[in-house]
Amino acid sequence: MAGNKTSKSWINILIELVEVFFKSSRANDRPRTWHQHVVPHEKGWAVRREGNQRITSTHRLQETAIRKAKRLARKKQADVIIHRADGTIRDRLSNF
């Protein structure tokens, strides 16, 4: 019987440790953002959501990419970050 109580307490301790681990890992997650970036691309310009590697759309002209990014950002109340051809940030548009 004494061995049974010990194993039960170890199980409880293990469960508590796992719960603490998962709670702390969720607390460090950044909330998902919907900011749209207009970035240089081999085919001209691309629109990419912040945090994504995947390109949402490609465009021959930067102005076309900016219009597309504005439409996407408006739906999620996000910002549009416009990059220069060298990749540095040129402008940030918000409050559509």
Side-chain angles (χ1 to χ4, degrees), residues 1-89:
M1 290 264 198
N4 198 11
K5 286 182 181 179
T6 305
S7 64
K8 199 169 196 177
S9 66
W10 280 105
I11 290 173
N12 290 339
I13 291 170
L14 182 60
I15 290 170
E16 288 176 14
L17 286 172
V18 170
E19 287 174 351
V20 168
F21 172 77
F22 282 116
K23 284 179 185 176
S24 68
S25 68
R26 280 191 298 250
N28 292 335
D29 288 345
R30 289 181 15 201
R32 180 177 227 175
T33 61
W34 292 94
H35 301 310
Q36 302 295 319
H37 288 255
V38 176
V39 296
H41 188 266
E42 60 193 31
K43 296 179 182 177
W45 294 90
V47 177
R48 179 178 52 84
R49 186 173 63 83
E50 188 168 288
N52 274 5
Q53 293 297 318
R54 187 175 61 89
I55 299 294
T56 304
S57 61
T58 58
H59 307 271
R60 196 169 47 83
L61 301 174
Q62 187 184 39
E63 199 55 44
T64 310
I66 292 170
R67 280 197 304 271
K68 173 69 174 186
K70 282 181 178 181
R71 270 183 272 153
L72 293 169
R74 191 175 296 121
K75 291 178 184 179
K76 299 292 184 175
Q77 298 178 346
D79 295 347
V80 174
I81 295 95
I82 304 168
H83 294 256
R84 293 184 183 94
D86 65 1
T88 59
I89 294 176

